[in-house]
Amino acid sequence: MSGTEKAMQGVADTLREFWAHRPVRPRAGRKLGGVATGIAMRFQIDPVIVRIAFVALALAGGVGVPMYLAGWLLLPEEGDQVSPLESLINKGHSSMSQAQTVLLGLLMFPALTFTFGNGGFQVVVTLAATIACIYLLQKNRGHLQPATTLVEPPPVPPVPGAPAWDPLGAAPFAWDLPEPAPKPQPPAPRPRRPKVALATLGVAVAVGIGSGIAGMWSAWFTAPHVIGLLIAVLAAGLLVGSFVGAGRSLIWLLVPLSVVGFGMTAIGFDGPSNLGSVAETPRSVTDVKSRYEVGVGSVMLDLRQMPDSGEVKTEVEANLGELIVHVPKNADVTFNCEASSIGELDCLGKRAEGTTVQVGGTDLGENGNGGLKIDLDVLTNVGEVKVLRD
């Protein structure tokens, strides 16, 4: 057997050992299904760290959602013989009903569809990293057992009148002696914890600076990609800290950074990137630009000073912000309003709000067909769109 085959065999054995001694979902102290709490108890790490890991995985393309559902289905509950999924195929008893098990199984389909439909290569990498973390946990902490509460015998009540140094009255002839002075105890030395958080922050700063320099030569180092690298560094530091009982303070930086990264990747900005506001009032057909755009901000386009004849076509676009277009009362307007991620639309009497909304049509104004013709596209990723005739 070659060295590679031996290594793969060792990984397989470790994962089989993890399954044989898999975590048990407790009935007390859990927030939802007890998956995170059970993993934390099994490997004696902070439950908060495990919960944060699931949240980070959920933000990383949605991987954390099907993984949590899988843990709910495959890990037995405290006091049960087998997991809910095993109970469904008659391998033993589980306190979860078959109907609940089937419902959880059905929820896996939309969760997996969303994850693999939107994540691509990122999902594969995240799953591989998760399996590697499970392997490391089992390899380094698999020998540990969940902490149990010992049942201590009830204390023996003291004999009435006995001094504190002889509560059971074993030496009544010496009860008249004074109480011995307590022996001073030296203060216990504080254990020195590894400076995992400080080292992780140093690596994160180095990665940030290196990404900024590399961005001068490579277009790959965009803001979402750099944030993803920083999240990976902080998550790795948090994982290392879970083994040595340090680094928990990294959570306060990882959570907001994960939220920002999720927002940037979910919204998918690919339009204009400038910041500010635009306000234009063209008075002739030639004054109208083909496009008015802003990255984050507002655009106000007032076409009410236009003449009563002619044709104009323009686009108003933003990544995040408010877009308002005023059109003349008698103009013939063909319009398309859209919020590709989330927004609120109010375009010549047609309204819509929510995620990925769009309205459009043709409005001939008060005088019917005839007059200035306007072809208008108003597009945003996130924000408010208004086309008003006033």
Side-chain angles (χ1 to χ4, degrees), residues 25 232 272 383:
R25 296 181 293 112

Side-chain angles (χ1 to χ4, degrees), residues 23-26 29-43 47 50-51 54 64-76 104:
V24 174
R25 296 181 293 112
R30 65 189 193 183
K31 301 298 182 181
L32 188 58
V35 177
T37 307
I39 294 174
M41 292 177 60
R42 170 65 182 86
F43 297 106
V50 184
R51 293 185 184 119
F54 272 110
V65 177
M67 287 192 63
Y68 193 92
L69 291 174
W72 203 337
L73 288 168
L74 296 173
L75 300 181
L104 284 179

Side-chain angles (χ1 to χ4, degrees), residues 178-231:
E179 295 283 350
K183 184 178 181 180
Q185 298 291 333
R190 297 181 61 183
R192 298 183 61 183
R193 293 187 175 183
K195 298 181 179 179
V196 175
L198 186 60
T200 304
L201 290 177
V203 174
V205 171
V207 168
I209 295 175
S211 300
I213 297 174
M216 300 173 62
W217 291 278
S218 175
W220 185 88
F221 290 91
T222 60
H225 287 164
V226 174
I227 289 178
L229 291 175
L230 295 177
I231 291 174

Side-chain angles (χ1 to χ4, degrees), residues 57-58 60-70 107-128 130-131:
L57 288 172
V63 178
V65 177
M67 287 192 63
Y68 193 92
L69 291 174
L107 289 176
M108 286 288 288
F109 288 98
L112 289 172
T113 302
F114 173 81
T115 299
F116 287 95
N118 295 280
F121 180 70
Q122 178 188 4
V123 173
V124 178
V125 174
T126 304
L127 285 174
T130 303
I131 295 174

